[in-house]
C-alpha cells in the first residue's frame, strides 16, 4: 500500500492584528531528521510504503496570509500529485486555521486533496481537540479523530490511531459511515481542560462508545472559540459500519457535553492582574506560576501586550520572572548595550496595538542568548527580570529558562503568556498557580469580544437557549461498507 502524509496546521485568532506569515511555519519533509519523531508508529507497518509531502506547523497566531497559505497548499498538492496513484492519504492537521479572506481553510485544503486523489482514495485526518469542524470537512474526509487530552499529551497516540483507522479501511476495502453533530457551545480552552471536571469525565466516556466493530471511533471537539467564523463550535463525531449506532453514539456524547456546559470553569483561581500579584506575593514558599492569559501565545496572542508588566512594576515584587515580551527592536538595543549595559526602551505594544501601548522602561541587560534566528535577552527592571525575544516565543519548558541563566526552582514568581499550564510548567509551580484575566486578543471574557459571524444561538452568548442533539449522517465517500 502506498500512503501519503502531509498537513498544514495552526490555530488562528481572528481578533489578532498580527498575520501569520510563511516564515512563521516550520516545514518538515520526509528527509528531515525530525520527521520520524512525529510519526514513530510508521515503523510498525513495514508492509506500507509511506511518503511524506510537507508537514507545516506554526505557533498559533493571527489569520494566515493568503499568499502563505497558497504557497503551502500548492507545495503539498504538488507533492501528492507526484505520488499518484495513491492508496490513501493521512493529513496531520490542527483544525482551527483561518486564512485571510477565507473561512474554513481546512475545508478548502481537504477538498483540494479530494479533487486531486479522487473518490476512491480514502483520506484520514487527525485533529487537535480545539479544531473547528464543518459540514464540508465531514463530506470530504473518510476518517477524522481528535486529541482526547488538554494539555495535549496524546498527540502521537492520536496520529497512530488515525493511521490505524486508515489502514483498516485499506486492508478491509471498506469505508465507515460518519455521524456529526455541532454543539452550539463556544468555550475557551482554559475552562475545558481534561485535567479536571467536567472535561475529565466527558472525555473519559469516549472509549465506552467505541465497540470496535459497529463504532470504530468517536471524537469530541471543544472547538477554538477565538475564531469569528460560522464553524466556531464544539461538536461530536462517531464513525463506523452501523449507521444507527454511530448516530446514537454521537448524540450521546453531544448531549453529555451540552448538559454540563455551565460546569466548565477555570482549573485554578482566576483573578485580576493585581489580584494574582497580591496572592502570589503572599505565598511563603515555592514558586508561583501566573498565566497572563489574555496574551497567551499558545492560543494566538501576539505576545507583546504589556498590561501585566505595567501592573507588576507598580507592585515592585522583589523576585519575579516575566516570560516574556516579543520585541525585536528592544532585543537589538539590548544586544548593542551588551551584558551589564543600561537601556531605555519603549517596550512591547508594537505587534498588538489594539490591546497595548509601548511601555517606557529603563533597566539593565543581565543576560544575552546570542541565537542567530531568535536572540533573547534578560532585562532586569528592579526585582523583575523580563525575558525578551526577537521572535514570538512561548516559554513552556524548563530548559528555556535555564538557557537564559534562570533556575526556575529558585524563583518566587514566574509569569508566562499562556493559559492552562502544560505539564512541565505545572511541575514548576510548587507554590501554586493563578490565572490572570488580562486583556489581549485571546481575552477570557469571550462574550465581550466583537463576534459578528458565529452561528447563533450559541452558549454562553445566548445563555438561556435550549437545544437537543440531532446528529447528521454522512455516508461513505466511496468504496463499500462492511
Amino acid at each position: 500500500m502506498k500512503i501519503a502524509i502531509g498537513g498544514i496546521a495552526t490555530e488562528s485568532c481572528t481578533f489578532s492584528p498580527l498575520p501569520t506569515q510563511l516564515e512563521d511555519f516550520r516545514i518538515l519533509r520526509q528527509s528531515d531528521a525530525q520527521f520520524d519523531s512525529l510519526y514513530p508508529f510508521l515503523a510498525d507497518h513495514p508492509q506500507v510504503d509511506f511518503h511524506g509531502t510537507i508537514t507545516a506547523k506554526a505557533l498559533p497566531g493571527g489569520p494566515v496570509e493568503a499568499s502563505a497559505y497558497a504557497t503551502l497548499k500548492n507545495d503539498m498538492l504538488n507533492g501528492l500529485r507526484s505520488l499518484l496513484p495513491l492508496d490513501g492519504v493521512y493529513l496531520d492537521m490542527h483544525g482551527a486555521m483561518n486564512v485571510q479572506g477565507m473561512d474554513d481553510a481546512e475545508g478548502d485544503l481537504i477538498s483540494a486533496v479530494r479533487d486531486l486523489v479522487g473518490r476512491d482514495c480514502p483520506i484520514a485526518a487527525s485533529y487537535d481537540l480545539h479544531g473547528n469542524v464543518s459540514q464540508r470537512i465531514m463530506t470530504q474526509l473518510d476518517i477524522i479523530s481528535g486529541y482526547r487530552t488538554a494539555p495535549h499529551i496524546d498527540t502521537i497516540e492520536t496520529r497512530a490511531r488515525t493511521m490505524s483507522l486508515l489502514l483498516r479501511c485499506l486492508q478491509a476495502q471498506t469505508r465507515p459511515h460518519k455521524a456529526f453533530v455541532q454543539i452550539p457551545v463556544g468555550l475557551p480552552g482554559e475552562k475545558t481542560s481534561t485535567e479536571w471536571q467536567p472535561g475529565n469525565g466527558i472525555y473519559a466516556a469516549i472509549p465506552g462508545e467505541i465497540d470496535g466493530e459497529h463504532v470504530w471511533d468517536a471524537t469530541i471537539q471543544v472547538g477554538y472559540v477565538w475564531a469569528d467564523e460560522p464553524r466556531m463550535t464544539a461538536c461530536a463525531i462517531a464513525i463506523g459500519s452501523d449507521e444507527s449506532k454511530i448516530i446514537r453514539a454521537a448524540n450521546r456524547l453531544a448531549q453529555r457535553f451540552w448538559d454540563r456546559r455551565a460546569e466548565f470553569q477555570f482549573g485554578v483561581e482566576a483573578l485580576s492582574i493585581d489580584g494574582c500579584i497580591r496572592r502570589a506575593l503572599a505565598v511563603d514558599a515555592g514558586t508561583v506560576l501566573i498565566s497572563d492569559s489574555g496574551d497567551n501565545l499558545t492560543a494566538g496572542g501576539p505576545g507583546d501586550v504589556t498590561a501585566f508588566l505595567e501592573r507588576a512594576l507598580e507592585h515592585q515584587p522583589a523576585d519575579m520572572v516575566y516570560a516574556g515580551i516579543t520585541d525585536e527592536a528592544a532585543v537589538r538595543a539590548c544586544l548593542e548595550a551588551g551584558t551589564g549595559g543600561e537601556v531605555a526602551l519603549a517596550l512591547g505594544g508594537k505587534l498588538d496595538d489594539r490591546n497595548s501601548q509601548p511601555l517606557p522602561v529603563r533597566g539593565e541587560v543581565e543576560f544575552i542568548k546570542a541565537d542567530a534566528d531568535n536572540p533573547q535577552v534578560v532585562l532586569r527592571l528592579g526585582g523583575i527580570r523580563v525575558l525578551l525575544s526577537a521572535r514570538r516565543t512561548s516559554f513552556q519548558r524548563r530548559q528555556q529558562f535555564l538557557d537564559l541563566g534562570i533556575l526556575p526552582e529558585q524563583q518566587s514568581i514566574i509569569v508566562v503568556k499562556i493559559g492552562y499550564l502544560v505539564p512541565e510548567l505545572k511541575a514548576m509551580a510548587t507554590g501554586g498557580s493563578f490565572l490572570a484575566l488580562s486583556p489581549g486578543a485571546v481575552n477570557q471574557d469571550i462574550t465581550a469580544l466583537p463576534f459578528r459571524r458565529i452561528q447563533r444561538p450559541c452558549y454562553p452568548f445566548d445563555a438561556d437557549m435550549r437545544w437537543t442533539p440531532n446528529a447528521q449522517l454522512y455516508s461513505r465517500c466511496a468504496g463499500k461498507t462492511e
Side-chain angles (χ1 to χ4, degrees):
M1 291 181 287
K2 186 178 179 182
I3 296 176
I5 299 172
I8 305 173
T10 190
E11 190 174 65
S12 304
C13 172
T14 61
F15 302 110
S16 170
L18 183 67
T20 298
Q21 301 174 320
L22 184 61
E23 65 188 35
D24 295 319
F25 282 88
R26 179 190 181 203
I27 301 173
L28 288 180
R29 302 179 188 276
Q30 192 169 10
S31 58
D32 294 320
Q34 302 95 323
F35 184 87
D36 290 341
S37 67
L38 293 180
Y39 314 107
F41 50 86
L42 299 184
D44 298 332
H45 306 286
Q47 78 281 11
V48 181
D49 189 13
F50 293 107
H51 294 266
T53 56
I54 66 163
T55 302
K57 297 182 182 295
L59 183 69
V64 178
E65 288 185 341
S67 60
Y69 171 69
T71 297
L72 294 170
K73 175 184 174 181
N74 289 336
D75 197 348
M76 194 180 85
L77 291 177
N78 287 336
L80 289 172
R81 190 175 291 109
S82 70
L83 296 170
L84 295 176
L86 287 163
D87 294 300
V89 176
Y90 164 65
L91 299 177
D92 186 359
M93 309 292 280
H94 178 284
M97 177 169 59
N98 178 275
V99 173
Q100 292 176 341
M102 178 191 298
D103 283 336
D104 192 10
E106 283 83 5
D108 175 79
L109 181 65
I110 294 167
S111 295
V113 172
R114 173 60 72 195
D115 290 342
L116 179 64
V117 302
R119 305 302 297 179
D120 292 331
C121 178
I123 303 174
S126 59
Y127 264 47
D128 187 299
L129 59 72
H130 297 123
N132 294 323
V133 182
S134 67
Q135 294 184 6
R136 183 184 189 186
I137 289 168
M138 292 302 302
T139 299
Q140 300 293 357
L141 283 178
D142 294 279
I143 292 162
I144 179 171
S145 191
Y147 299 167
R148 296 173 186 170
T149 62
H152 312 313
I153 58 175
D154 64 335
T155 55
I156 300 297
E157 177 184 337
T158 301
R159 291 170 184 151
R161 181 174 65 249
T162 307
M163 183 62 77
S164 293
L165 290 165
L166 176 59
L167 291 174
R168 176 176 181 172
C169 285
L170 293 172
Q171 290 162 350
Q173 297 186 351
T174 186
R175 306 286 181 90
H177 294 289
K178 301 158 290 183
F180 170 61
V181 54
Q182 290 183 304
I183 311 168
V185 174
L187 292 171
E190 284 65 41
K191 287 187 174 181
T192 52
S193 170
T194 61
E195 290 194 328
W196 56 83
Q197 296 292 354
N200 184 295
I202 288 172
Y203 273 84
I206 291 177
E209 297 290 349
I210 302 168
D211 61 21
E213 180 182 357
H214 305 291
V215 180
W216 296 7
D217 191 59
T219 295
I220 297 174
Q221 296 290 120
V222 171
Y224 176 71
V225 74
W226 292 287
D228 189 17
E229 54 178 282
R231 63 174 175 154
M232 190 289 291
T233 183
C235 72
I237 301 166
I239 64 172
S241 59
D242 189 303
E243 295 181 6
S244 62
K245 289 186 177 181
I246 63 171
I247 288 174
R248 286 197 293 270
N251 281 334
R252 279 194 296 265
L253 292 174
Q255 187 70 60
R256 190 175 289 118
F257 192 94
W258 171 259
D259 287 345
R260 305 193 69 179
R261 65 195 182 281
E263 299 177 35
F264 287 102
Q265 300 296 330
F266 299 114
V268 298
E269 193 170 3
L271 303 165
S272 67
I273 294 174
D274 291 304
C276 286
I277 295 173
R278 283 193 290 266
R279 290 293 301 275
L281 290 172
V283 174
D284 294 328
T287 302
V288 176
L289 269 286
I290 302 176
S291 298
D292 182 2
S293 68
D295 196 28
N296 173 10
L297 282 97
T298 66
D304 77 333
V305 176
T306 58
F308 193 107
L309 180 58
E310 184 174 11
R311 295 307 307 150
L313 289 170
E314 289 292 323
H315 287 267
Q316 274 301 320
D319 175 21
M320 174 185 283
V321 173
Y322 185 78
I325 294 286
T326 303
D327 191 328
E328 184 175 6
V331 169
R332 298 301 175 193
C334 291
L335 293 177
E336 290 179 11
T339 304
E342 187 174 299
V343 291
L345 304 170
L347 192 60
K350 303 175 181 68
L351 304 177
D352 189 353
D353 56 4
R354 298 176 187 172
N355 293 291
S356 182
Q357 297 297 319
L359 180 64
V361 299
R362 182 179 292 273
E364 177 188 345
V365 180
E366 185 173 279
F367 191 96
I368 291 174
K369 180 185 177 185
D371 183 286
D373 182 57
N374 183 26
Q376 297 178 338
V377 170
V378 179
L379 178 66
R380 180 171 284 280
L381 306 176
I384 303 174
R385 283 179 287 175
V386 183
L387 310 189
L388 304 180
S389 303
R391 294 173 62 88
R392 294 175 68 237
T393 303
S394 177
F395 289 88
Q396 301 182 56
R397 294 177 291 106
R398 183 173 179 269
Q399 188 61 48
Q400 291 176 283
F401 294 91
L402 298 179
D403 289 345
L404 293 171
I406 295 171
L407 186 62
E409 293 79 3
Q410 293 181 355
Q411 314 309 312
S412 297
I413 305 171
I414 298 176
V415 184
V416 285
K417 285 184 177 292
I418 200 168
Y420 54 69
L421 298 181
V422 297
E424 200 162 337
L425 289 177
K426 192 173 182 179
M428 290 161 49
T430 56
S433 60
F434 301 95
L435 186 139
L437 300 173
S438 51
V442 288
N443 192 319
Q444 295 293 322
D445 187 6
I446 59 171
T447 58
L449 291 171
F451 284 95
R452 298 287 184 272
R453 306 182 60 246
I454 60 174
Q455 295 186 57
R456 303 286 293 270
C458 178
Y459 180 88
F461 306 94
D462 306 287
D464 297 329
M465 66 173 290
R466 295 184 178 184
W467 179 77
T468 300
N470 183 21
Q472 183 174 351
L473 181 68
Y474 291 80
S475 294
R476 64 199 188 281
C477 290
K480 64 179 182 178
T481 59
E482 289 184 334

